[in-house]
């Protein structure tokens, strides 16, 4: 079963704009990770935030985590057409080492 | 090391046939995972290995599915008596004990199975 719920399911923006995707989860976690998937391909790890962290940056990516609300957001700044992909959040629960994925946000960046 | 490799990339099979997929993880990674992803959905956990031991299996892994990781290196996932509902992308990932928690998992490009 999917733990995460992502919002929005689809997002279409213009190149140069910022894109924000949200993720909610249900259980206690060790960390939350964001992955990107181009159509028909495997997943690429983008960024990981641990449960004791509140914000993390990597290049044009900014992730926040609110464990009290069991939610996270991924911000992509100054988006590019090449950022067009599906983005998934995944949680690693404290009970085990598996990742549980949300259903993803399909991001389209129009040139 | 070029990452996690999966073979084949695509497989078309007739209903009722058996299929086997292979995954070669990053050589120094001792954990290996199998996930299944259907169109428009996120990946769903199937099973994982630490070295050669299969430590956890999902309820999704019916008795028609079997996974092995002999010698703790590559892994195979076999589906017997395939059904149309088995059509999906099968993803393999690997990580190191401990580092997977802090640096993420490395996924292969997947094997797309179509059962006709």
């Amino acid at each position: 079963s999917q733990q995460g719920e992502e919002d929005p399911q689809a997002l279409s923006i213009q190149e140069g704009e910022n894109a924000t995707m949200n993720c909610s989860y249900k259980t206690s976690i060790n960390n939350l990770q964001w992955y990107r998937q181009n159509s028909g391909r495997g997943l690429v790890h983008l960024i990981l935030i641990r449960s004791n962290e509140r914000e993390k940056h990597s290049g044009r990516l900014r992730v926040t985590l609110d464990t009290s609300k069991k939610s996270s957001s991924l911000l992509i700044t100054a988006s590019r057409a090449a950022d067009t992909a599906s983005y998934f959040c995944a949680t690693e629960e404290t009970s085990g080492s598996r990742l549980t994925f949300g259903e993803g946000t399909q991001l389209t960046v129009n040139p | 090391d070029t990452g996690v490799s999966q073979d084949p990339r695509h497989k078309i099979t007739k209903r009722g046939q058996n299929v086997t997929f292979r995954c070669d993880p990053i050589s120094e990674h001792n954990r290996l995972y199998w996930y299944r992803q259907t169109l428009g959905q996120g990946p769903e956990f199937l099973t994982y290995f630490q070295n050669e031991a299969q430590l956890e299996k999902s309820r999704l892994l019916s008795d028609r599915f079997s996974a092995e990781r002999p010698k703790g290196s590559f892994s195979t996932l076999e589906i017997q008596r395939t059904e149309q509902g088995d059509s999906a992308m099968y993803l393999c990932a690997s990580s190191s004990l401990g580092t997977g928690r802090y640096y993420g998992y490395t996924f292969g490009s997947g094997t797309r199975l179509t059962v006709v």
Side-chain angles (χ1 to χ4, degrees):
Chain A
S1 61
Q2 301 291 324
Q3 162 161 244
E5 292 184 3
E6 289 171 80
D7 170 52
Q9 288 189 324
L11 179 62
S12 182
I13 59 174
Q14 295 300 122
E15 210 164 23
E17 294 180 339
N18 295 342
T20 300
M21 289 161 266
N22 303 297
C23 168
S24 61
Y25 59 91
K26 297 173 184 172
T27 63
S28 296
I29 63 171
N30 285 323
N31 62 66
L32 185 144
Q33 306 178 26
W34 285 89
Y35 287 81
R36 164 197 168 125
Q37 185 178 39
N38 287 79
S39 181
R41 304 303 298 266
L43 288 90
V44 175
H45 179 258
L46 295 176
I47 193 166
L48 180 152
I49 186 165
R50 286 181 272 184
S51 59
N52 61 352
E53 298 176 314
R54 293 296 166 258
E55 187 171 314
K56 203 162 182 179
H57 297 253
S58 176
R60 295 185 295 114
L61 305 179
R62 173 179 170 252
V63 171
T64 62
L65 179 64
D66 187 334
T67 53
S68 67
K69 295 182 180 178
K70 290 186 166 57
S71 67
S72 173
S73 67
L74 172 68
L75 169 67
I76 303 174
T77 60
S79 62
R80 306 165 182 169
D83 294 329
T84 295
S86 293
Y87 291 82
F88 294 91
C89 70
T91 52
E92 184 180 85
E93 299 170 28
T94 54
S95 58
S97 68
R98 63 159 82 175
L99 288 179
T100 303
F101 285 84
E103 296 191 354
T105 293
Q106 173 61 50
L107 173 67
T108 302
V109 181
N110 301 300
Chain B
D1 197 310
T2 56
V4 177
S5 299
Q6 290 189 248
D7 182 68
R9 289 293 309 277
H10 303 275
K11 178 71 176 179
I12 300 174
T13 190
K14 291 184 178 179
R15 190 174 51 186
Q17 297 292 305
N18 299 343
V19 294
T20 300
F21 311 140
R22 176 179 170 125
C23 171
D24 287 89
I26 292 174
S27 57
E28 58 267 29
H29 285 181
N30 57 3
R31 285 196 168 178
L32 186 147
Y33 307 81
W34 285 99
Y35 283 80
R36 182 174 73 183
Q37 184 179 27
T38 52
L39 202 61
Q41 301 294 313
E44 294 178 296
F45 171 80
L46 292 178
T47 188
Y48 94 90
F49 293 83
Q50 182 170 307
N51 300 315
E52 66 274 12
Q54 189 173 18
L55 296 187
E56 190 174 352
K57 292 194 291 187
S58 162
R59 284 171 291 179
L60 292 175
L61 214 65
S62 75
D63 56 6
R64 295 185 299 106
F65 288 71
S66 63
E68 294 183 342
R69 193 184 182 197
K71 303 178 183 178
S73 56
F74 71 92
S75 175
T76 58
L77 178 67
E78 181 183 17
I79 309 174
Q80 296 182 325
R81 305 180 303 280
T82 52
E83 302 172 356
Q84 287 190 320
D86 297 330
S87 295
M89 174 81 88
Y90 290 83
L91 295 162
C92 176
S94 69
S95 73
S96 289
L97 180 61
T99 65
R101 293 190 164 191
Y102 301 107
Y103 301 111
Y105 296 32
T106 303
F107 279 82
S109 295
T111 293
R112 180 165 296 284
L113 173 67
T114 302
V115 181
V116 297

